[in-house]
Amino acid sequence: MRLDKYLADMNAGTRKEVKIAIRKQRVTVNGEVVRDAAYQLNGDEKVTFDGEEIVYRKYQYYMLNKPEGVVSAAEDARHTTVVDLIDERRRKDLFPVGRLDIDTVGLMLITNDGDLAHRLLSPKFHIDKTYYAEIEGQVTERDKDAFAKGLRYDRDLVAQPADLKTLPSGRDQYEYLDEEGNPVVLEPDQYSLVEVTIHEGKFHQIKKMFEAVGRKVLYLRRISMGPLTLDEDLEEGEYRPLTEEEIALLKNK
Ligand code: URA
């Protein structure tokens, strides 16, 4: 691989910027300054850029606990993206696998492995996604049956059967701000804590399914995606590389 591609792939700058940096003698290979952008690497050399060692990774895989207010895109003109939160030397072609709404938190897989992403997102593979949600109102057996049968939530959209499970509700009042910013207080019998597993992933699916049974999602967090479960040690906004075992599990799906 050419030296300029190696550095640009690992986000040391654009191809043009790294060419200039190479010319300015800011790059070494095995301790020697190299001034030729086309210099061929085998892959086992030690490359530095301004003294920082740049290790080449063909693929990178991260698990991120997405916070609210961050968009699940690689680039965005207005908002911080989930990829912006990967705050270390990383490939320039990372992207999030699938989407979460701006106000949804939780598990996000970020990689540059297009084949893996395609398989995880393809409807053919039915990758389960599980969400923890806080819902206004009491979720009933009827709601569970409706989710289990699959329900129509748009004129043309029918959700496939999903598993809806209620969790023991807290004893505390539930407080949130409505769309106008006014505080709303719910008594313990006015809200429900649930876990939902869907086998597909349509736009706003969880919110729309609850809307179809007349309920509102107040808080939504993705906790798993196929064999990958959100690491409880990750605070919102934190990330870590996937382990070899997690990568293998995802690839075998
Ligand atoms: N369903 C939603 O409604 N929103 C999400 O972010 C994910 C699933």
mmCIF file of all heavy atoms in Angstrom, residues 206-239:
data_model
loop_
_atom_site.group_PDB
_atom_site.id
_atom_site.type_symbol
_atom_site.label_atom_id
_atom_site.label_comp_id
_atom_site.label_asym_id
_atom_site.label_seq_id
_atom_site.Cartn_x
_atom_site.Cartn_y
_atom_site.Cartn_z
ATOM 1 N N ILE A 206 -40.269 1.588 17.102
ATOM 2 C CA ILE A 206 -40.792 1.365 18.465
ATOM 3 C C ILE A 206 -41.810 2.461 18.808
ATOM 4 O O ILE A 206 -42.906 2.179 19.298
ATOM 5 C CB ILE A 206 -39.636 1.360 19.484
ATOM 6 C CG1 ILE A 206 -38.606 0.283 19.135
ATOM 7 C CG2 ILE A 206 -40.162 1.222 20.906
ATOM 8 C CD1 ILE A 206 -38.998 -1.119 19.470
ATOM 9 N N LYS A 207 -41.445 3.688 18.510
ATOM 10 C CA LYS A 207 -42.360 4.797 18.833
ATOM 11 C C LYS A 207 -43.683 4.635 18.083
ATOM 12 O O LYS A 207 -44.755 4.849 18.637
ATOM 13 C CB LYS A 207 -41.723 6.142 18.486
ATOM 14 C CG LYS A 207 -40.580 6.502 19.420
ATOM 15 C CD LYS A 207 -39.913 7.781 18.972
ATOM 16 C CE LYS A 207 -38.644 8.033 19.754
ATOM 17 N NZ LYS A 207 -37.767 8.991 19.115
ATOM 18 N N LYS A 208 -43.579 4.231 16.835
ATOM 19 C CA LYS A 208 -44.806 4.102 16.023
ATOM 20 C C LYS A 208 -45.655 2.930 16.483
ATOM 21 O O LYS A 208 -46.885 2.998 16.442
ATOM 22 C CB LYS A 208 -44.445 3.970 14.554
ATOM 23 C CG LYS A 208 -43.897 5.268 14.008
ATOM 24 C CD LYS A 208 -44.023 5.343 12.529
ATOM 25 C CE LYS A 208 -43.779 6.761 12.073
ATOM 26 N NZ LYS A 208 -43.634 6.888 10.649
ATOM 27 N N MET A 209 -45.014 1.861 16.907
ATOM 28 C CA MET A 209 -45.803 0.720 17.388
ATOM 29 C C MET A 209 -46.577 1.118 18.647
ATOM 30 O O MET A 209 -47.745 0.778 18.807
ATOM 31 C CB MET A 209 -44.903 -0.480 17.661
ATOM 32 C CG MET A 209 -44.400 -1.137 16.384
ATOM 33 S SD MET A 209 -43.243 -2.478 16.707
ATOM 34 C CE MET A 209 -44.382 -3.816 17.035
ATOM 35 N N PHE A 210 -45.930 1.844 19.544
ATOM 36 C CA PHE A 210 -46.649 2.276 20.752
ATOM 37 C C PHE A 210 -47.740 3.282 20.393
ATOM 38 O O PHE A 210 -48.835 3.243 20.950
ATOM 39 C CB PHE A 210 -45.681 2.823 21.804
ATOM 40 C CG PHE A 210 -45.047 1.718 22.600
ATOM 41 C CD1 PHE A 210 -43.746 1.323 22.372
ATOM 42 C CD2 PHE A 210 -45.780 1.034 23.569
ATOM 43 C CE1 PHE A 210 -43.180 0.275 23.076
ATOM 44 C CE2 PHE A 210 -45.224 -0.017 24.286
ATOM 45 C CZ PHE A 210 -43.928 -0.391 24.043
ATOM 46 N N GLU A 211 -47.421 4.152 19.452
ATOM 47 C CA GLU A 211 -48.429 5.122 19.009
ATOM 48 C C GLU A 211 -49.672 4.392 18.478
ATOM 49 O O GLU A 211 -50.795 4.796 18.740
ATOM 50 C CB GLU A 211 -47.816 5.946 17.882
ATOM 51 C CG GLU A 211 -48.258 7.382 17.800
ATOM 52 C CD GLU A 211 -47.461 8.066 16.697
ATOM 53 O OE1 GLU A 211 -46.277 8.363 16.939
ATOM 54 O OE2 GLU A 211 -48.014 8.271 15.601
ATOM 55 N N ALA A 212 -49.426 3.283 17.776
ATOM 56 C CA ALA A 212 -50.542 2.525 17.190
ATOM 57 C C ALA A 212 -51.457 1.951 18.266
ATOM 58 O O ALA A 212 -52.626 1.683 17.994
ATOM 59 C CB ALA A 212 -49.995 1.410 16.298
ATOM 60 N N VAL A 213 -50.927 1.725 19.489
ATOM 61 C CA VAL A 213 -51.806 1.229 20.567
ATOM 62 C C VAL A 213 -52.145 2.380 21.538
ATOM 63 O O VAL A 213 -52.544 2.150 22.673
ATOM 64 C CB VAL A 213 -51.196 0.011 21.318
ATOM 65 C CG1 VAL A 213 -51.090 -1.195 20.410
ATOM 66 C CG2 VAL A 213 -49.833 0.338 21.939
ATOM 67 N N GLY A 214 -51.917 3.611 21.069
ATOM 68 C CA GLY A 214 -52.355 4.786 21.831
ATOM 69 C C GLY A 214 -51.443 5.170 22.984
ATOM 70 O O GLY A 214 -51.889 5.794 23.941
ATOM 71 N N ARG A 215 -50.174 4.807 22.889
ATOM 72 C CA ARG A 215 -49.267 5.156 23.992
ATOM 73 C C ARG A 215 -48.061 5.941 23.468
ATOM 74 O O ARG A 215 -47.732 5.902 22.288
ATOM 75 C CB ARG A 215 -48.761 3.910 24.707
ATOM 76 C CG ARG A 215 -49.809 2.939 24.968
ATOM 77 C CD ARG A 215 -49.638 2.147 26.227
ATOM 78 N NE ARG A 215 -50.808 1.304 26.380
ATOM 79 C CZ ARG A 215 -51.947 1.722 26.870
ATOM 80 N NH1 ARG A 215 -52.079 2.966 27.282
ATOM 81 N NH2 ARG A 215 -52.964 0.905 26.961
ATOM 82 N N LYS A 216 -47.414 6.584 24.434
ATOM 83 C CA LYS A 216 -46.290 7.447 24.049
ATOM 84 C C LYS A 216 -45.000 6.937 24.694
ATOM 85 O O LYS A 216 -44.988 6.601 25.890
ATOM 86 C CB LYS A 216 -46.599 8.858 24.548
ATOM 87 C CG LYS A 216 -45.629 9.888 24.084
ATOM 88 C CD LYS A 216 -46.259 11.275 24.227
ATOM 89 C CE LYS A 216 -45.268 12.206 24.876
ATOM 90 N NZ LYS A 216 -45.897 13.380 25.417
ATOM 91 N N VAL A 217 -43.931 6.894 23.893
ATOM 92 C CA VAL A 217 -42.615 6.509 24.421
ATOM 93 C C VAL A 217 -41.971 7.759 25.022
ATOM 94 O O VAL A 217 -41.810 8.772 24.346
ATOM 95 C CB VAL A 217 -41.721 5.938 23.288
ATOM 96 C CG1 VAL A 217 -40.308 5.670 23.800
ATOM 97 C CG2 VAL A 217 -42.322 4.668 22.718
ATOM 98 N N LEU A 218 -41.596 7.662 26.297
ATOM 99 C CA LEU A 218 -40.972 8.816 26.959
ATOM 100 C C LEU A 218 -39.452 8.714 26.949
ATOM 101 O O LEU A 218 -38.744 9.717 27.033
ATOM 102 C CB LEU A 218 -41.450 8.883 28.420
ATOM 103 C CG LEU A 218 -42.965 9.004 28.615
ATOM 104 C CD1 LEU A 218 -43.319 8.897 30.085
ATOM 105 C CD2 LEU A 218 -43.456 10.335 28.042
ATOM 106 N N TYR A 219 -38.963 7.494 26.884
ATOM 107 C CA TYR A 219 -37.515 7.272 26.929
ATOM 108 C C TYR A 219 -37.244 5.948 26.221
ATOM 109 O O TYR A 219 -37.986 4.974 26.429
ATOM 110 C CB TYR A 219 -37.069 7.186 28.397
ATOM 111 C CG TYR A 219 -35.621 6.790 28.608
ATOM 112 C CD1 TYR A 219 -34.610 7.750 28.621
ATOM 113 C CD2 TYR A 219 -35.265 5.455 28.805
ATOM 114 C CE1 TYR A 219 -33.286 7.385 28.824
ATOM 115 C CE2 TYR A 219 -33.935 5.084 29.014
ATOM 116 C CZ TYR A 219 -32.956 6.059 29.021
ATOM 117 O OH TYR A 219 -31.642 5.690 29.222
ATOM 118 N N LEU A 220 -36.198 5.926 25.403
ATOM 119 C CA LEU A 220 -35.897 4.708 24.637
ATOM 120 C C LEU A 220 -34.400 4.453 24.628
ATOM 121 O O LEU A 220 -33.615 5.357 24.312
ATOM 122 C CB LEU A 220 -36.412 4.895 23.197
ATOM 123 C CG LEU A 220 -36.406 3.682 22.283
ATOM 124 C CD1 LEU A 220 -37.255 2.546 22.854
ATOM 125 C CD2 LEU A 220 -36.942 4.062 20.892
ATOM 126 N N ARG A 221 -34.043 3.216 24.987
ATOM 127 C CA ARG A 221 -32.620 2.858 24.986
ATOM 128 C C ARG A 221 -32.456 1.486 24.332
ATOM 129 O O ARG A 221 -33.122 0.529 24.726
ATOM 130 C CB ARG A 221 -32.098 2.786 26.428
ATOM 131 C CG ARG A 221 -30.636 2.371 26.515
ATOM 132 C CD ARG A 221 -30.042 2.572 27.902
ATOM 133 N NE ARG A 221 -30.487 1.575 28.835
ATOM 134 C CZ ARG A 221 -30.990 1.825 30.045
ATOM 135 N NH1 ARG A 221 -31.114 3.071 30.471
ATOM 136 N NH2 ARG A 221 -31.367 0.857 30.824
ATOM 137 N N ARG A 222 -31.580 1.412 23.322
ATOM 138 C CA ARG A 222 -31.319 0.087 22.730
ATOM 139 C C ARG A 222 -30.325 -0.647 23.617
ATOM 140 O O ARG A 222 -29.287 -0.082 23.974
ATOM 141 C CB ARG A 222 -30.761 0.236 21.309
ATOM 142 C CG ARG A 222 -30.521 -1.147 20.696
ATOM 143 C CD ARG A 222 -30.571 -1.153 19.206
ATOM 144 N NE ARG A 222 -29.492 -0.387 18.636
ATOM 145 C CZ ARG A 222 -29.430 -0.039 17.358
ATOM 146 N NH1 ARG A 222 -30.400 -0.365 16.541
ATOM 147 N NH2 ARG A 222 -28.412 0.650 16.903
ATOM 148 N N ILE A 223 -30.675 -1.896 23.933
ATOM 149 C CA ILE A 223 -29.773 -2.648 24.810
ATOM 150 C C ILE A 223 -29.103 -3.830 24.114
ATOM 151 O O ILE A 223 -28.085 -4.305 24.582
ATOM 152 C CB ILE A 223 -30.471 -3.098 26.121
ATOM 153 C CG1 ILE A 223 -31.782 -3.813 25.844
ATOM 154 C CG2 ILE A 223 -30.710 -1.912 27.041
ATOM 155 C CD1 ILE A 223 -32.509 -4.253 27.127
ATOM 156 N N SER A 224 -29.668 -4.277 23.001
ATOM 157 C CA SER A 224 -28.930 -5.311 22.280
ATOM 158 C C SER A 224 -29.278 -5.308 20.800
ATOM 159 O O SER A 224 -30.323 -4.797 20.381
ATOM 160 C CB SER A 224 -29.152 -6.694 22.885
ATOM 161 O OG SER A 224 -30.446 -7.135 22.599
ATOM 162 N N MET A 225 -28.363 -5.895 20.061
ATOM 163 C CA MET A 225 -28.510 -5.981 18.611
ATOM 164 C C MET A 225 -27.884 -7.317 18.226
ATOM 165 O O MET A 225 -26.659 -7.479 18.370
ATOM 166 C CB MET A 225 -27.708 -4.824 18.002
ATOM 167 C CG MET A 225 -27.901 -4.622 16.543
ATOM 168 S SD MET A 225 -27.000 -3.110 16.116
ATOM 169 C CE MET A 225 -27.111 -3.229 14.360
ATOM 170 N N GLY A 226 -28.692 -8.282 17.822
ATOM 171 C CA GLY A 226 -28.159 -9.624 17.573
ATOM 172 C C GLY A 226 -27.418 -10.084 18.818
ATOM 173 O O GLY A 226 -27.903 -9.909 19.943
ATOM 174 N N PRO A 227 -26.212 -10.620 18.646
ATOM 175 C CA PRO A 227 -25.484 -11.165 19.795
ATOM 176 C C PRO A 227 -24.765 -10.087 20.630
ATOM 177 O O PRO A 227 -24.112 -10.422 21.620
ATOM 178 C CB PRO A 227 -24.447 -12.091 19.138
ATOM 179 C CG PRO A 227 -24.224 -11.478 17.798
ATOM 180 C CD PRO A 227 -25.501 -10.827 17.376
ATOM 181 N N LEU A 228 -24.890 -8.853 20.231
ATOM 182 C CA LEU A 228 -24.140 -7.777 20.886
ATOM 183 C C LEU A 228 -25.004 -7.088 21.937
ATOM 184 O O LEU A 228 -26.101 -6.627 21.628
ATOM 185 C CB LEU A 228 -23.742 -6.762 19.814
ATOM 186 C CG LEU A 228 -22.577 -5.839 20.108
ATOM 187 C CD1 LEU A 228 -21.315 -6.647 20.344
ATOM 188 C CD2 LEU A 228 -22.387 -4.872 18.940
ATOM 189 N N THR A 229 -24.490 -7.020 23.172
ATOM 190 C CA THR A 229 -25.255 -6.398 24.263
ATOM 191 C C THR A 229 -24.483 -5.189 24.762
ATOM 192 O O THR A 229 -23.257 -5.243 24.904
ATOM 193 C CB THR A 229 -25.437 -7.415 25.415
ATOM 194 O OG1 THR A 229 -26.140 -8.529 24.871
ATOM 195 C CG2 THR A 229 -26.255 -6.848 26.558
ATOM 196 N N LEU A 230 -25.225 -4.122 25.051
ATOM 197 C CA LEU A 230 -24.594 -2.893 25.527
ATOM 198 C C LEU A 230 -23.842 -3.164 26.832
ATOM 199 O O LEU A 230 -24.413 -3.697 27.788
ATOM 200 C CB LEU A 230 -25.671 -1.828 25.747
ATOM 201 C CG LEU A 230 -25.177 -0.460 26.235
ATOM 202 C CD1 LEU A 230 -24.241 0.181 25.214
ATOM 203 C CD2 LEU A 230 -26.346 0.474 26.520
ATOM 204 N N ASP A 231 -22.588 -2.783 26.841
ATOM 205 C CA ASP A 231 -21.738 -2.972 28.023
ATOM 206 C C ASP A 231 -22.205 -2.012 29.125
ATOM 207 O O ASP A 231 -22.238 -0.797 28.915
ATOM 208 C CB ASP A 231 -20.292 -2.655 27.595
ATOM 209 C CG ASP A 231 -19.281 -2.967 28.675
ATOM 210 O OD1 ASP A 231 -19.636 -2.885 29.870
ATOM 211 O OD2 ASP A 231 -18.140 -3.276 28.311
ATOM 212 N N GLU A 232 -22.559 -2.587 30.277
ATOM 213 C CA GLU A 232 -23.107 -1.746 31.360
ATOM 214 C C GLU A 232 -22.080 -0.775 31.916
ATOM 215 O O GLU A 232 -22.433 0.192 32.589
ATOM 216 C CB GLU A 232 -23.634 -2.632 32.491
ATOM 217 C CG GLU A 232 -24.918 -3.322 32.088
ATOM 218 C CD GLU A 232 -25.441 -4.254 33.155
ATOM 219 O OE1 GLU A 232 -24.820 -4.329 34.229
ATOM 220 O OE2 GLU A 232 -26.465 -4.901 32.887
ATOM 221 N N ASP A 233 -20.807 -1.042 31.660
ATOM 222 C CA ASP A 233 -19.770 -0.134 32.167
ATOM 223 C C ASP A 233 -19.648 1.134 31.320
ATOM 224 O O ASP A 233 -18.924 2.053 31.698
ATOM 225 C CB ASP A 233 -18.406 -0.840 32.181
ATOM 226 C CG ASP A 233 -18.370 -1.898 33.261
ATOM 227 O OD1 ASP A 233 -19.194 -1.810 34.198
ATOM 228 O OD2 ASP A 233 -17.542 -2.819 33.151
ATOM 229 N N LEU A 234 -20.286 1.151 30.167
ATOM 230 C CA LEU A 234 -20.170 2.346 29.308
ATOM 231 C C LEU A 234 -21.225 3.363 29.703
ATOM 232 O O LEU A 234 -22.423 3.097 29.602
ATOM 233 C CB LEU A 234 -20.375 1.975 27.833
ATOM 234 C CG LEU A 234 -19.313 1.118 27.163
ATOM 235 C CD1 LEU A 234 -19.726 0.813 25.722
ATOM 236 C CD2 LEU A 234 -17.947 1.805 27.186
ATOM 237 N N GLU A 235 -20.772 4.523 30.121
ATOM 238 C CA GLU A 235 -21.706 5.629 30.374
ATOM 239 C C GLU A 235 -22.152 6.170 29.014
ATOM 240 O O GLU A 235 -21.473 5.947 28.006
ATOM 241 C CB GLU A 235 -20.975 6.774 31.107
ATOM 242 C CG GLU A 235 -20.385 6.413 32.446
ATOM 243 C CD GLU A 235 -21.428 6.342 33.543
ATOM 244 O OE1 GLU A 235 -22.514 6.924 33.363
ATOM 245 O OE2 GLU A 235 -21.162 5.695 34.557
ATOM 246 N N GLU A 236 -23.232 6.935 29.005
ATOM 247 C CA GLU A 236 -23.651 7.541 27.735
ATOM 248 C C GLU A 236 -22.517 8.418 27.186
ATOM 249 O O GLU A 236 -21.921 9.188 27.936
ATOM 250 C CB GLU A 236 -24.924 8.365 27.920
ATOM 251 C CG GLU A 236 -26.137 7.470 28.047
ATOM 252 C CD GLU A 236 -27.417 8.229 28.299
ATOM 253 O OE1 GLU A 236 -27.485 9.433 28.003
ATOM 254 O OE2 GLU A 236 -28.356 7.599 28.818
ATOM 255 N N GLY A 237 -22.225 8.249 25.914
ATOM 256 C CA GLY A 237 -21.139 9.015 25.287
ATOM 257 C C GLY A 237 -19.821 8.244 25.284
ATOM 258 O O GLY A 237 -18.895 8.638 24.594
ATOM 259 N N GLU A 238 -19.752 7.142 26.041
ATOM 260 C CA GLU A 238 -18.499 6.368 26.079
ATOM 261 C C GLU A 238 -18.556 5.228 25.057
ATOM 262 O O GLU A 238 -19.632 4.771 24.671
ATOM 263 C CB GLU A 238 -18.265 5.794 27.480
ATOM 264 C CG GLU A 238 -17.920 6.864 28.490
ATOM 265 C CD GLU A 238 -17.579 6.295 29.866
ATOM 266 O OE1 GLU A 238 -17.892 5.116 30.158
ATOM 267 O OE2 GLU A 238 -17.011 7.048 30.658
ATOM 268 N N TYR A 239 -17.371 4.755 24.689
ATOM 269 C CA TYR A 239 -17.275 3.671 23.702
ATOM 270 C C TYR A 239 -16.100 2.790 24.048
ATOM 271 O O TYR A 239 -15.246 3.165 24.870
ATOM 272 C CB TYR A 239 -17.090 4.257 22.294
ATOM 273 C CG TYR A 239 -15.768 4.968 22.128
ATOM 274 C CD1 TYR A 239 -14.631 4.288 21.718
ATOM 275 C CD2 TYR A 239 -15.643 6.326 22.417
ATOM 276 C CE1 TYR A 239 -13.414 4.939 21.593
ATOM 277 C CE2 TYR A 239 -14.436 6.981 22.303
ATOM 278 C CZ TYR A 239 -13.330 6.280 21.889
ATOM 279 O OH TYR A 239 -12.112 6.918 21.783
#
